[in-house]
Amino acid sequence: MAFTFPPIYVLKAKFDKDPDELHRLETALGNTKYDPLETKIFIGKETTKGRVRYELRTLGLYTVDVTPDIPATQRVRGTSRKPNATSSSKTPHRGTVKVFKLAWFEDSVKAKTLLPNHPYLVYEGRVIPKPKPLPAADSTKLADSTSILARARADTPPPANQRSGSGRYHKKTNSQTAPILYHENTSDHEHEANLPSLPDFLKSTYSCQRPTPMHGPNNEFVRLLKIIKKARIIDGFEKTRHTYHSAIASIAAYPFTITSPKEISRLPSCGDKFSSLWFEWSETGHIKEVDDILEDPRMNILNIFYDIYDVAATTAVKFYNKGWKDLDDVVEHGWNSLSRSQQIGVKLYDDFQLRIPRAEVERIGQIVLGHANEFREGFQMVICGGYRRGKPDSGDVDVMLSHPNEDATEDLIRDLLDRLEENEYITHQLQVSSKTSDRGQSPLQWKGGMPKSSTGFDSLDKGLVVWQDPKWPTKEEDLKENPKAKNPNPHRRVDILITPWKTAGCAVVGWTGGTTFEMDIRRYCRHEKNFKFDSSGVRRLDDGAWVDLENGGHDMLEKERMVFSGLGLEWREPTLRCTD
């Protein structure tokens, strides 16, 4: 007898490596819900209560743990009679949600019947109202009962003061939780003798000298370290020392499955701290410090603020210290204090959280290239960032343009952005810079030619914009029915960058690698070559003179290879620069 699954929502965590797997699963379920409020049954790959509760909170479901502890003797055996999970899944307890392991679906399909809850139930939570935000001392309640955030999204943010500088903040998340201590014994010394030899590239402290693939044998441990790293970034611990950045880059580059703490301690930038974290994870299956971060209401709120476009970590902490707990609070109590780009970030928050498939990234790049060639034929284009490193989807799109005739690139950026805006691809210009054109596209001198206030990784001509595809299948019919019909396509974050031909290779290198790769190539140049490197070129530190590493390159990718060679670095494919 055929059976069907009850309405189910699939939690998206850990499907990022293979989005097609998520699509296949949702298709196979046949009764998938895309609104988490329409069902009380969830499945996913997460197996820890803390992470599951965090995912539910991101979907707007606040819960308290009521997961039953059922002894093994009370679990239903076999599948010959109608199982418990069937009835309870179709009519879950009023006010509760249940989250099952993905294996519940897979095993039910094999058994051709819905299997019992246990041992598949990960979490059962009683739904509670959203916690009320702390009152702001200077807040004024708006009389309108309409959603505050909805009103903000309906308005085009007016120009406002730039965000304030950094300030002191009170309580920090405890990212110093002591891991389980590792104590050596005789068997450890015997095991150490059988460890694989450390590759030569891992004897360097510079991640730009190592091949670092996107997926390595220690991915799950690295994933947990990244959670700690983000919390440390938000709380300011990674601002100067970059402890977790460097350790994660080393572990991600290690080509063998780690089997002992000793393997961690011998890696660059790793030591007892990371050995103990690995030992705790290998012994218990989790890291308490990670659990604490995922359970911390403060950090969950800070993550929301930190994910607003143009909101730095210090600003996110300021928002929290004002008593704000969500985007509604930001709009109600602080709207006029936000910069224009931050207001746009709040207005388009949901769209900016959506990932951009590779095919769409490529379409955007080709559209930008096509518009550039309308001004003068012969432009070359490289899509940089995570796309070039091989990610299945991207958070934004980095489009790098150049032309062998440098007259074509000078003063192009504003005209190009205006043309794209006229053709309805750009909805907002967030930041526009023409620093390279303003100095006649000459290489930036390190001494004398650079103002002391200059900051950042480069001074390329650039436009950081909001992009929305103006075309959709039913556009003509929709506009005929309603001339004010809204474009249903999501807004995307796109960075359009224009580099002079003489330093195009440096620009491609500087916008392709992971964050730690980019930090380390700058550090390597400073300490090993007496150079200053950024996306605008290479200069000598002693006299500030520009160093031409790209003369004779025929295209942007050949010039990129010439930069590696000129710096004395072994060539690494973009897919091997995944340090983060």
Side-chain angles (χ1 to χ4, degrees), residues 295-308:
E295 290 290 323
D296 183 6
R298 173 181 176 274
M299 188 52 66
N300 289 334
I301 293 168
L302 286 173
N303 270 285
I304 293 172
F305 294 154
Y306 186 66
D307 287 342
I308 299 172

Side-chain angles (χ1 to χ4, degrees), residues 363-379 381 399 401 416 419-420 423 467:
R363 276 199 310 274
I364 291 171
Q366 289 301 321
I367 290 169
V368 173
L369 177 62
H371 278 69
N373 280 325
E374 291 177 6
F375 290 90
R376 183 178 295 196
E377 285 290 338
F379 271 91
M381 181 268 294
V399 182
L401 295 169
L416 176 59
R419 181 73 60 83
L420 287 163
N423 291 336
W467 181 284

Side-chain angles (χ1 to χ4, degrees), residues 438-451:
D438 292 345
R439 63 173 186 269
Q441 298 192 112
S442 61
L444 186 65
Q445 296 297 309
W446 173 236
K447 292 185 177 179
M450 177 180 286

Side-chain angles (χ1 to χ4, degrees), residues 68-108:
D69 184 13
I70 305 298
T73 55
Q74 296 181 20
R75 295 176 184 170
V76 179
R77 296 182 179 178
T79 58
S80 58
R81 62 182 181 86
K82 192 173 184 178
N84 269 353
T86 309
S87 57
S88 62
S89 297
K90 290 183 177 179
T91 58
H93 295 299
R94 183 179 180 85
T96 66
V97 294
K98 294 183 179 181
V99 181
F100 294 93
K101 297 177 183 177
L102 183 59
W104 176 63
F105 161 73
E106 297 168 339
D107 292 350
S108 293

Side-chain angles (χ1 to χ4, degrees), residues 374-523:
E374 291 177 6
F375 290 90
R376 183 178 295 196
E377 285 290 338
F379 271 91
Q380 296 183 21
M381 181 268 294
V382 175
I383 301 174
C384 300
Y387 167 86
R388 193 154 181 254
R389 297 196 298 276
K391 285 189 175 182
D393 48 41
S394 302
D396 60 8
V397 183
D398 300 323
V399 182
M400 184 74 67
L401 295 169
S402 193
H403 196 291
N405 185 335
E406 291 195 351
D407 290 341
T409 54
E410 187 169 6
D411 295 322
L412 173 67
I413 185 63
R414 297 183 191 278
D415 291 339
L416 176 59
L417 297 181
D418 289 344
R419 181 73 60 83
L420 287 163
E421 190 166 347
E422 289 170 7
N423 291 336
E424 300 182 339
Y425 287 103
I426 291 177
T427 63
H428 303 81
Q429 295 186 28
L430 300 171
Q431 180 183 333
V432 181
S433 172
S434 56
K435 289 182 180 179
T436 299
S437 291
D438 292 345
R439 63 173 186 269
Q441 298 192 112
S442 61
L444 186 65
Q445 296 297 309
W446 173 236
K447 292 185 177 179
M450 177 180 286
K452 291 182 179 179
S453 60
S454 286
T455 58
F457 271 15
D458 61 57
S459 61
L460 298 177
D461 288 0
K462 62 173 72 68
L464 313 183
V465 305
V466 180
W467 181 284
Q468 188 181 38
D469 190 338
K471 303 173 184 177
W472 68 92
T474 60
K475 180 176 181 178
E476 186 175 346
E477 294 85 347
D478 292 349
L479 293 177
K480 188 179 296 183
E481 182 178 337
N482 177 11
K484 295 183 178 180
K486 289 188 176 181
N487 183 342
N489 291 321
H491 295 81
R492 305 301 198 183
R493 271 278 303 107
V494 176
D495 296 340
I496 299 173
L497 309 128
I498 300 177
T499 174
W501 187 251
K502 63 173 69 73
T503 54
C506 288
V508 173
V509 172
W511 279 78
T512 293
T515 301
T516 308
F517 181 95
E518 297 299 337
M519 290 191 298
D520 279 355
I521 197 170
R522 288 156 174 77
R523 189 168 60 90

Side-chain angles (χ1 to χ4, degrees), residues 4-10 26 29-43 85-92 96-100 104-105 114:
T4 58
F5 286 95
I8 291 176
Y9 183 96
V10 182
E26 291 176 337
L29 280 168
N31 200 5
T32 304
K33 291 296 182 181
Y34 297 95
D35 182 348
L37 301 181
E38 292 182 357
T39 181
K40 296 184 179 181
I41 302 297
F42 298 76
I43 63 172
T86 309
S87 57
S88 62
S89 297
K90 290 183 177 179
T91 58
T96 66
V97 294
K98 294 183 179 181
V99 181
F100 294 93
W104 176 63
F105 161 73
L114 291 177

Side-chain angles (χ1 to χ4, degrees), residues 12-23:
K12 306 301 188 292
K14 298 188 180 180
F15 282 98
D16 54 332
K17 296 178 185 177
D18 186 2
D20 290 339
E21 180 188 5
L22 175 62
H23 177 71

